[in-house]
Structure formats: structure tokens, C-alpha cells
Amino acid sequence: MKKIASLLSVAVLAGIITLGAYKLFIEEPAPQVDLTQNQPSSIPVYTPTAYTAAASSGIDFTEAAERTVNAVVHVSNKQEYKQPRNMMEFLRGGGQRGGIVGAGSGVIISGDGFIITNNHVIAGASEIEVALNDNRKYKARLIGTDEKADIALIKIDAEGNELPYIPFGDSDAAKVGEWVLAVGNPFNLTSTVTAGIISAKARDIDEYDSNYQSFIQTDAAINPGNSGGALVNTYGELIGINTAITSQTGSYVGYAFAVPSNNARKIVEDIMQYGSVQKGILGVRGNSIKSLSSQKIKTLKISVTEGFYVDGVEYESGAEKAGIQTGDIIKQIDNIKINKFSDLSGYISSKRPNDVVEVSLLRSNKEITLPVTLVKSMTYDINRLGIQVKNASPKDLKKFKAKHGVVISDTSPEMRRYGNLIGLVISEIDDEIVSNIEDVKNIINRKRNNETISIVFIDQNGERNRYIFEN
């Protein structure tokens, strides 16, 4: 037995020696793998994309938000009405008093309580209430409005006259791609701040209507309740008044629009100084499409693709007096490049009568620069009828075989249902001869709201047509 154990030990030892010799002298060494090759030097850390976009640009929104959030207010609009409770009250006009409350935002622009908002936020209000970010509430009074620009100025009387306010910035200097904040009260959620960029400038939402718009477009989220709120840059300066969205749902879908601060500031200053908006007019007309389309370029046989093509010059306007002609292409006004009509209308809207602007244009492929003195608005709105009129030129009167009258320059959508009245001459109102818009204004101002108005139109054939408008 001892003999067997000795033989087994010798065999095991011989095997070990043989295997060791093979590993040492015969088998090729295995390649060494460097475990540090192609491996990350550190563990990756996930950063949310939205944070990265702002942080990597070196922009801090917190300071602008802190400077502005307390100067944006909640504006409530209460409209009184009577709700009939039975047929007798319905017939006699009685009923229980009630109120319709609308809501929006506003921007404090002075320490003594002047506030900008949208006209549509306070339109028709019998009572306006303003709630500050610290929950203080005040009754506000309406100072003035510009319906077409959708801007209104209201005033509250606060204790101490030390309200937080947002200083105006230069909206002309704002650039596409620049970061902005929208501050307001969407869906009655007070003190809401959203961030985005300026997507476009001088944006006209509808190029085919007669409302000459020139908005700042942004992708900062703006929803119902944001109207009248602030669009500010990263310095906390006011560069726009949030006004509109385009959406099939009524809520934000990526496009929002603001009235440029330069235009809003000019409207406010006019209301405070003159009591009404002073509009400086250049006096050039385009056709129904307000920018140069490829079809229009082909039809007109012109070589340029950007600018405003002058389709006509208004009678007695600054453009006519300065020598601007039909067929000229306006390329620049002062230091503002004109690529489309909304560039022109937006800049002119920040000017007043008697301001002088330098107009650079192309005429027969030659560059010309003309100084133009802007004139006062040469139109008058007969609001009851939805008709706008202007003075008739000798050419207009000759065309319609009229001795006197004013020309219809625009009509409301309601009046367009009765046909195209634009361009027709009005020669009489209530059997009184009219020769200019001052005559029209004097006659209309003497009328009571419930009185009928008789108007004589002259058509293209020189024929007189009388219409009676009842309230």
C-alpha cells in the first residue's frame, strides 16, 4: 500500500514538472490587453437639453425675471349688463344686473402707476381692476387707446408712488435669434415667465388685410391671459407688448406676437401729451399684396427681390411733395432696411407728423435718397358706418366726374358685404356738400348716435346713389 502511494506521488510531481516546462519553453505568451483602451475617462453626467441650451450660451434668465415679474400685473375687465328674468323685463329693458369678467396682463411703465395693456383686454369695460404681484388690488382708469395698434394706457393710484416698473428697450435694436422672456398671467396663473427667442421681426400676420401690422414674433410660450404682458430682453428691458397668437386650438402652438416697444412707447407718449395718437404718414400705396412675390417681380419685370414697390402716391402727402413716384422701390428708411411693407409700416408707426426721414430707393436701377417730411394722418374714420375717407385729389374728382367730395379709402368687414366701396366718392352727407375730411368730421360730430345718416355716393360712371344708414 505504501508502495502504491509512493508511485502516485511521483506521478503527480512528474505531471506538474512537465506542464511547467511546457508553459515556460513551448507555449507562446498570450497577448496582453490594455483595459484602459477605448474606455471613457470619466462617468458621463446627463444634463437636460433645455438647461444646456441656456447655460452653454452663458445667459442667465434669473436676473431679468427678478427685475420684471413684479412689474407685470393682472388686469380684470368687468362689463355691466342687465339680464331679464321674465318677459316683462325683456320688453321693458329691466333685469338683474350682472357682470362679464375678462382677464389679461399689463405692464407698469412708471413708478406712479401708468400701465400698458392691450386694447382688447379692457375694451367695453365699465370697471377695470388691477392686481399686483404682491396681491394688492386697485381700480384703474382708462387714459387712452389705439384700437388699430391694440394698445391701451390705464392708470392706478398706489400708495407711495414707488411701484416697480420695466424700462423701455429699443425694439429696433433687437435681433432675430435673441433670447427673450414673456411675462404674464396665462390661464389666470399669475407671475408666469417663459423663455424663447425672437423668431422674426416686422411680421404681418395677414398680408391681404388692410390692417398694417408689424409684430415681433417669438417662440416664448404665450397663452390666453398673456395679452398685454411684457416681452423683455435678458437685461430686463421692455421690447414688446404680448398681443396675439395664431392657433387653431386657441392655445400656444409655437407662434406668438408682440407689438414692438418703440411703437407702444410712442403711442403712450402721444396719449399722455396730446390726448390722442399722432400718426405720421409717408403717403405711399402698394397693391393688395404687401411684399414682392416672385409673380409680382415677374409681372413688373424688375431685378430686385426685396423692398417695397410703390404702386401709388397719396395726394398732398410727404411722399408726393418729396418727389417719390409710382414704380419706385423703397429699400431703406433712415437706418432700417426695408425688405417688405411691414418693415416700412412698423418703422413709420414710431414717428410723428413733421418728423423727417431719409428714404433710399431705386428708380430705373439708380439709387436715390430723398428726405421726406411726414404729414398728419389724412384720413377720417366714420366709425358708425365702418367707412374711412380721405381728401380727393383733382385726378380722383375728374375720374368720377365730381366737382367736390372725399374718397373712401377703407371699409370694415361688415361694410364689405355690401360690395367694394373703396375708391368711390362721397359728395354729400345729410344733404350737406363735403369737400374734405374736415367737412365730414364736422357733420358726423353733430349727429346723435341714434340718428340716421344719408350719404350720396358717386360711382365710376359719375352717377349719384343715395344710401340711408340707420343705427
Side-chain angles (χ1 to χ4, degrees):
M1 192 69 173
K2 291 182 179 180
K3 185 176 181 181
I4 294 173
S6 299
L7 291 173
L8 182 59
S9 299
V10 171
V12 171
L13 181 60
I16 293 173
I17 294 171
T18 302
L19 180 61
Y22 172 78
K23 289 285 186 180
L24 183 62
F25 298 108
I26 300 175
E27 183 181 41
E28 295 182 0
Q32 299 295 312
V33 179
D34 184 357
L35 296 178
T36 64
Q37 291 288 334
N38 301 318
Q39 300 297 312
S41 58
S42 61
I43 299 174
V45 178
Y46 172 72
T47 303
T49 303
Y51 174 80
T52 303
S56 62
S57 65
I59 294 175
D60 182 5
F61 296 137
T62 59
E63 186 174 351
E66 289 173 358
R67 287 181 178 180
T68 58
V69 70
N70 292 316
V72 176
V73 301
H74 187 263
V75 180
S76 298
N77 171 345
K78 185 177 181 181
Q79 301 180 20
E80 293 291 342
Y81 69 98
K82 289 184 178 180
Q83 179 64 48
R85 293 168 292 184
N86 51 51
M87 182 58 68
M88 189 63 67
E89 287 183 345
F90 177 79
L91 293 174
R92 293 184 176 179
Q96 183 178 9
R97 289 189 176 275
I100 301 173
V101 177
S105 302
V107 183
I108 303 175
I109 57 170
S110 68
D112 56 351
F114 282 99
I115 297 170
I116 296 182
T117 185
N118 285 146
N119 179 69
H120 74 260
V121 170
I122 53 83
S126 56
E127 183 178 296
I128 303 171
E129 184 179 76
V130 169
L132 274 59
N133 196 35
D134 60 8
N135 297 320
R136 285 183 291 169
K137 292 184 178 181
Y138 299 93
K139 300 298 182 193
R141 63 182 186 274
L142 179 62
I143 304 301
T145 67
D146 185 336
E147 292 185 15
K148 288 191 174 181
D150 200 12
I151 292 294
L153 179 66
I154 61 178
K155 175 75 164 61
I156 62 174
D157 296 319
E159 304 88 350
N161 291 335
E162 295 181 356
L163 293 172
Y165 65 92
I166 303 178
F168 281 99
D170 183 359
S171 55
D172 287 340
K175 298 183 181 299
V176 173
E178 178 180 339
W179 283 101
V180 289
L181 296 180
V183 189
N185 304 282
F187 304 115
N188 287 324
L189 300 172
T190 59
S191 308
T192 297
V193 178
T194 57
I197 62 169
I198 294 176
S199 305
K201 293 179 64 178
R203 180 70 79 197
D204 191 341
I205 298 176
D206 186 354
E207 286 198 334
Y208 294 88
D209 66 8
S210 59
N211 189 11
Y212 302 140
Q213 302 165 329
S214 185
F215 290 125
I216 295 174
Q217 180 182 326
T218 177
D219 65 354
I222 294 175
N223 280 294
N226 270 115
S227 292
L231 187 72
V232 302
N233 59 23
T234 55
Y235 301 103
E237 298 171 332
L238 184 66
I239 62 169
I241 301 297
N242 299 322
T243 297
I245 59 176
T246 55
S247 169
Q248 295 178 344
T249 65
S251 298
Y252 172 76
V253 292
Y255 302 97
F257 303 92
V259 176
S261 62
N262 287 3
N263 296 16
R265 177 172 56 187
K266 184 260 180 186
I267 291 169
V268 166
E269 290 174 350
D270 283 352
I271 291 172
M272 295 175 68
Q273 185 172 352
Y274 305 103
S276 62
V277 180
Q278 308 295 299
K279 296 182 178 180
I281 303 298
L282 184 63
V284 293
R285 296 193 305 269
N287 68 354
S288 59
I289 302 175
K290 303 170 190 171
S291 61
L292 288 175
S293 63
S294 57
Q295 181 60 42
K296 188 173 181 180
I297 291 169
K298 183 178 179 180
T299 301
L300 296 173
K301 297 180 181 180
I302 55 180
S303 58
V304 297
T305 59
E306 294 179 328
F308 174 70
Y309 181 85
V310 178
D311 208 43
V313 179
E314 296 288 350
Y315 175 58
E316 295 181 335
S317 67
E320 182 190 57
K321 294 174 182 177
I324 295 178
Q325 303 173 7
T326 298
D328 289 344
I329 300 174
I330 296 176
K331 300 289 292 179
Q332 185 168 305
I333 299 181
D334 291 339
N335 61 339
I336 303 299
K337 186 178 179 181
I338 306 300
N339 294 323
K340 51 191 181 299
F341 181 71
S342 54
D343 293 322
L344 183 152
S345 62
Y347 182 67
I348 294 298
S349 294
S350 67
K351 298 296 180 180
R352 295 185 177 87
N354 298 319
D355 285 349
V356 179
V357 295
E358 296 290 326
V359 178
S360 299
L361 53 84
L362 285 178
R363 179 182 298 165
S364 301
N365 292 323
K366 293 182 179 179
E367 293 187 5
I368 300 173
T369 299
L370 299 172
V372 180
T373 301
L374 304 182
V375 299
K376 191 175 182 179
S377 177
M378 301 175 293
T379 61
Y380 174 70
D381 292 319
I382 309 176
N383 293 319
R384 282 182 54 188
L385 307 182
I387 293 175
Q388 182 186 82
V389 295
K390 65 180 181 179
N391 290 334
S393 68
K395 184 178 179 181
D396 292 326
L397 297 176
K398 182 179 180 181
K399 177 182 176 181
F400 288 88
K401 302 174 184 178
K403 295 180 180 179
H404 51 78
V406 294
V407 175
I408 299 176
S409 56
D410 199 7
T411 59
S412 67
E414 291 77 15
M415 286 299 295
R416 290 171 198 152
R417 293 180 299 178
Y418 301 100
N420 184 16
L421 302 178
I422 296 176
L424 299 185
V425 169
I426 295 176
S427 62
E428 296 177 21
I429 299 179
D430 287 346
D431 297 322
E432 292 189 49
I433 290 175
V434 295
S435 300
N436 51 54
I437 60 175
E438 289 299 321
D439 292 340
V440 176
K441 186 184 302 184
N442 291 334
I443 296 171
I444 296 300
N445 287 342
R446 294 198 305 264
K447 304 287 290 186
R448 292 192 297 269
N449 288 334
N450 59 351
E451 287 186 285
T452 60
I453 298 177
S454 169
I455 292 183
V456 174
F457 295 94
I458 300 179
D459 63 21
Q460 290 89 340
N461 298 320
E463 297 181 357
R464 292 160 52 91
N465 301 275
R466 183 182 296 272
Y467 290 87
I468 306 296
F469 296 91
E470 296 182 355
N471 189 30

